[in-house]
């Protein structure tokens, strides 16, 4: 936990009022700006001091060998790592030859503000140099949602007292020196000087640099241009070298006569386009930014976000800190995918290098549900990226002796990059996760063009994987053996319940899609016999059940395993994966993150209410939450079975994962799935929203601390408003044709100017289950 009040509670901003150098890496992630294509960590303008420099482009990576002590068939030979590309954020200042460096002189005041409505990061500070000169520096930074390739910085410096010369150096820097990274497997691999210079030029106040990666051969172009306003006599010129382009502005400051610099940045990359083509691409992006101007970029950013918040804001009454946190969460979720445009959404978005910049199942199961109902175009683009990698997924399936497509557990470009078989190749559920995201998007968005061009193919190829991976046993049941479910502490298990339930949904949806789109299915080679085999497998799917305990084992035999010795584990024992051998974890009842409980949420139509309550009570004492993915799911199911205060605690944990640095690794980037899970915990948890079988339903209930939960979402071209109070819910159709939905099992129809009000029935839950010692969520009090 952060020991100092870094972020005062405000509804629409995240504000840092004091600079703490030991927290720089964390705040660089919190203050990161991105749009899905381009991401800038919230480093200080002057570049130093820093925690972890970072400028990232969606999909841009380098290859690296993956050595093994003992090679094995099917092991990936190359890994992929996100590259810190050319840094254009740097604006250095020298006051009478003294570098502006907050580690020297006197920092009189310092403030940074992430404005969630304006989509900008503002900074202001007053600094007295070691020689006694005092300056006031202010900057505003944005990564444009409307100009995909563009970022911009407004930088102003003024003298507080006296007159003196200053020099401002605006830079593009490639191959920045990086700090030594952690040995934690969740951190990134170190890459030394990954970029090779191909072209550089400076003309007037404009510079362009093109580099390529040494191994992957990807080319990246970065460009900057400037508008300078200063006192009479201000001079500026530029120069460029292989890894550095610099514009130097020199002037004499005096009180009331500031120097203002507007820096425009443009980025682009390609695996195929030539150096001249990329050079011209970023030059054109700069031209567009110049045409808009600084004021135009700021105005367009605000208008974009005004529209976004009007469609999807979540409003809470009763907990101001969580109000701030959920808007922060939605903002970062949008930043991760808004302009991704058929590139992967990484586990850290474009806010840091954690997990090497890879995308996992997090995208489809946590991020895309949010985007589907708030920014559906971004969800469609992410799924089209998956479709674009189908060739690689088919090739991977063939390598494994399987049909269809085997999507990678972790990747940037589509190839498998997980060198650990049990929690990589064995985690086949990612295929069903992708299919589930397709099903959800098609149900919520009714996009026939997507269904024909991408959705049906994704469903077909994932279904083929399940049909070849599983088999009918002697009793006729369909089994899927030797796989790893979401609980990565129970690897290579038979009939993981989550996997089998999700695969069943995948198989049935593929058969339905093939029937609806026979021409598309025919081009994919699907005939009636193959579609019938999918239905047969789905109908015969094995779902483990322990009749003696009255619960569903998360896989065959799980409830017979020895229970982990939680009592002997102190706080320093967690996460268990860093302190115990996997072999010991795999054969015990201990759960890393929600597995069977995740199935209770996503496949809730396969369980009775009584089964959900019993299963939740069984798995709570076994779940240690050694992953940031777990809290939001436990919040959803706790709310559904009536443990509202426990759900509230889990909701807070998901919401404050990065603002409070709960996992102590926010330095590596924002936990995008956890911040997305904040919305899921609110809307699916306390709002009780489900979309099973194309039927939109709500079972809302609030914890005692909240007096109101209000959210909006987009559903089938309509804008729906849901307002929940302790005893009633009000459904309003803001835009679109009348909509039929269900409230606690009762059918409700809403139309424009005809809201529906419905009472919330009471729910009497059993005793609140305990968690493993020391692993329960922090008790939440709104005054904290």
């Amino acid at each position: 936990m952060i020991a100092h009040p870094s972020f005062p509670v405000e509804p629409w901003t995240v504000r840092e009022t004091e600079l703490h150098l030991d927290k720089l890496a964390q705040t660089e992630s919190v203050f990161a700006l991105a749009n899905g294509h381009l991401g800038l960590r919230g480093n200080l303008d002057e570049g130093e001091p820093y925690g972890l420099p970072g400028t990232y482009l969606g999909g841009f990576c380098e290859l690296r060998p993956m050595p093994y002590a003992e090679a094995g068939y099917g092991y990936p030979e190359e890994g992929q790592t996100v590259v810190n590309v050319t840094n254009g954020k740097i604006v250095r200042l020298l006051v009478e030859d003294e570098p502006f460096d907050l580690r020297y002189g006197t920092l009189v005041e310092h403030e940074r503000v992430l404005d969630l409505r304006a989509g900008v990061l503002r900074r202001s500070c007053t600094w007295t140099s070691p020689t006694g000169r005092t300056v006031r520096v202010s900057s505003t930074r944005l990564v444009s949602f409307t100009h995909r390739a563009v970022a911009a910085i407004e930088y102003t410096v003024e003298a507080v007292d006296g007159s003196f010369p200053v020099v401002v150096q605006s830079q593009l820097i490639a191959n920045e020196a990086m700090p030594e990274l952690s040995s934690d497997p969740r951190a990134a691999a170190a890459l030394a000087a990954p970029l090779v210079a191909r072209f550089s030029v400076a003309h007037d106040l404009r510079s362009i640099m093109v580099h390529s990666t040494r191994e992957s051969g990807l080319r990246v172009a970065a460009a900057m241009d400037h508008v300078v306003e200063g006192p009479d006599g201000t001079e500026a010129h530029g120069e460029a070298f292989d890894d550095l382009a610099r514009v130097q502005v020199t002037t004499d400051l005096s009180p009331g006569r500031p120097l203002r610099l507007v820096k425009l940045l443009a980025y682009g990359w390609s695996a195929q386009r030539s150096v001249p083509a990329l050079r011209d691409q970023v030059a054109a992006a700069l031209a567009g930014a110049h045409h808009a101007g600084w004021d135009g970029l700021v105005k367009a950013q605000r208008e974009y976000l005004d529209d976004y918040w009007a469609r999807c804001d979540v409003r809470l009454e009763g907990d101001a800190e969580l109000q701030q946190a959920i808007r922060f969460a939605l903002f970062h979720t949008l930043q991760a995918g808004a302009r991704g445009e058929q590139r992967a959404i990484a586990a850290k978005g474009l806010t840091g290098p954690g997990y090497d910049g890879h995308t996992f199942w997090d995208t489809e199961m946590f991020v895309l549900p949010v985007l589907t109902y708030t920014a559906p175009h971004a969800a469609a683009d992410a799924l089209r990226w998956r479709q674009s990698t189908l060739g690689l997924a088919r090739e991977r399936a063939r390598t494994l002796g399987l049909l269809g497509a085997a999507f990678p557990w972790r990747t940037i470009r589509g190839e498998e990059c997980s060198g650990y078989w049990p929690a990589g190749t064995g985690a086949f559920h990612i295929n069903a996760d992708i299919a589930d995201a397709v099903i959800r998007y098609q149900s919520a968005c009714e996009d026939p063009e997507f269904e024909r061009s991408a959705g049906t193919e994704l469903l077909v190829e994932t279904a083929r994987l399940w049909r070849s991976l599983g088999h009918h046993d002697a009793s006729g049941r369909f089994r899927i053996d030797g796989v790893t479910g979401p609980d990565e502490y129970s690897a290579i298990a038979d009939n993981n319940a989550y996997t089998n339930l999700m695969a069943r949904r995948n198989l049935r949806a593929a058969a339905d899609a093939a029937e609806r789109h026979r021409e598309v299915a025919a081009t994919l080679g699907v005939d009636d016999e193959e579609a019938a085999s999918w239905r047969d497998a789905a109908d015969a799917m094995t779902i483990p059940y322990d009749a003696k305990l009255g619960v569903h084992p998360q896989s065959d035999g799980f409830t017979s395993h020895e229970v982990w010795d939680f009592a002997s584990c102190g706080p320093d024992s967690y996460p268990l994966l860093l302190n115990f051998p996997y072999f010991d974890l795999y054969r015990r009842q201990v759960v890393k993150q929600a597995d069977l409980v995740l199935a209770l949420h996503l496949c809730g139509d396969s369980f009775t209410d009584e089964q959900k309550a019993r299963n939740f009570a069984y798995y709570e004492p076994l779940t240690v939450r050694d992953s940031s993915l777990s809290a939001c799911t436990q919040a959803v199911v706790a709310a559904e079975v009536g443990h509202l205060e426990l759900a509230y605690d889990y909701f807070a944990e998901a919401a404050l994962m990065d603002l409070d640095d709960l996992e102590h690794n926010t330095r590596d980037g924002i936990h995008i799935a956890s911040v997305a899970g904040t919305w899921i915990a609110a809307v699916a948890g306390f709002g009780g929203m489900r979309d099973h079988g194309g039927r939109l339903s709500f079972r809302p209930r609030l914890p005692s601390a909240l007096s109101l939960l209000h959210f909006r979402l987009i559903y089938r071209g309509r804008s729906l408003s849901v307002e929940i109070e302790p005893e009633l819910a009000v459904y309003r159709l803001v835009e679109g044709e009348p909509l039929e939905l269900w409230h606690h099992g009762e059918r409700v129809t809403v139309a424009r100017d005809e809201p529906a009000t419905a009472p919330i029935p009471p729910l009497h839950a059993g005793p609140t289950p305990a968690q493993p010692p020391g692993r329960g969520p922090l008790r939440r009090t709104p005054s904290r």
Side-chain angles (χ1 to χ4, degrees), residues 72-100:
Y73 177 79
Y75 286 12
E77 296 180 358
E78 287 184 321
Q80 299 163 5
T81 297
V82 65
V83 173
N84 175 30
V85 300
T86 311
N87 184 359
K89 301 188 294 291
I90 292 182
V91 181
R92 300 194 196 277
L93 170 65
L94 291 91
V95 179
E96 281 191 335
D97 298 329
E98 184 71 39
F100 173 48

Side-chain angles (χ1 to χ4, degrees), residues 602-661:
L602 297 176
C603 304
D605 50 347
S606 297
F607 301 89
T608 67
D609 289 345
E610 183 183 3
Q611 288 173 339
K612 290 176 184 176
R614 287 202 308 268
N615 281 320
F616 183 76
Y618 185 86
Y619 285 97
E620 271 294 282
L622 304 176
T623 305
V624 296
R625 292 192 334 285
D626 278 352
S627 165
S628 61
L629 300 180
S630 198
C632 69
T633 295
Q634 288 171 273
V636 169
V637 180
E640 182 173 8
V641 301
H643 303 302
L644 293 170
E645 306 314 312
L646 179 61
Y648 179 51
D649 296 340
Y650 280 133
F651 171 47
E653 181 173 300
L656 299 172
M657 184 63 61
D658 294 303
L659 291 175
D660 276 5
D661 197 14

Side-chain angles (χ1 to χ4, degrees), residues 375-461:
H377 70 281
D381 278 342
L383 290 170
R384 287 192 177 95
W385 169 73
R386 286 292 191 185
Q387 184 202 21
S388 74
T389 67
L390 265 171
L392 295 170
R394 292 187 183 105
E395 183 180 334
R396 179 67 172 161
R398 288 194 295 270
T399 297
L400 300 174
L402 300 169
L403 301 178
F407 281 98
W409 180 240
R410 56 186 300 169
T411 189
I412 296 177
R413 303 199 310 182
E415 297 90 346
E416 178 62 83
C417 294
S418 175
Y420 187 63
W421 194 281
T425 299
F428 285 102
H429 68 83
I430 190 169
N431 263 42
D433 301 331
I434 293 168
D436 186 71
V438 170
I439 296 165
R440 180 182 299 103
Y441 175 78
Q442 291 180 171
S443 174
C445 299
E446 293 186 324
D447 183 348
E449 188 279 328
F450 171 88
E451 187 172 350
R452 285 191 300 270
S453 64
T456 298
E457 185 177 21
L458 285 167
L459 292 173
V460 164
E461 297 297 359

